[in-house]
Amino acid sequence: AASSGVREAAEELRAQLSRAAAAQAAAQAEAEGLRARLGDADAAAATAQAEAEALRADADRAAAALQAQLDAAVSERDSALASAQKAEAQAEESQGARARAEAAAEAAQ
């Protein structure tokens, strides 16, 4: 009877050991799965970071190109304004010369 009890205790211990080994294997498999997911997440984060940096560089280049276009347009406008002011001054000067010439012609008559 005593050996029967020892056998039952040994079988129970073997069953517990088997369950513990199964639980350990399941936990190890889950840990490996989590490590794989972590690796995937790290790779996705690195890809997103690289894409963000590329987009930022594209935006910086576009902003620089737009600034250059704006600078060129402002310069062109300033040049056109200066030319228009010069033409106005010449027109006023011509009008004054014409008025003087007309006055001189009338005085000569």
Side-chain angles (χ1 to χ4, degrees), residues 30-44:
E30 185 176 349
E32 289 172 6
L34 290 173
R35 276 194 290 275
R37 285 176 51 196
L38 180 60
D40 292 346
D42 284 346

Side-chain angles (χ1 to χ4, degrees), residues 41-91:
D42 284 346
T47 299
Q49 173 100 17
E51 289 174 0
E53 289 171 4
L55 289 173
R56 195 173 302 117
D58 288 347
D60 288 347
R61 281 191 293 276
L66 288 174
Q67 186 64 50
Q69 289 176 352
L70 175 62
D71 291 347
V74 167
S75 177
E76 189 175 329
R77 181 208 60 194
D78 290 348
S79 177
L81 180 60
S83 294
Q85 289 171 340
K86 184 177 177 184
E88 279 181 1
Q90 288 175 343

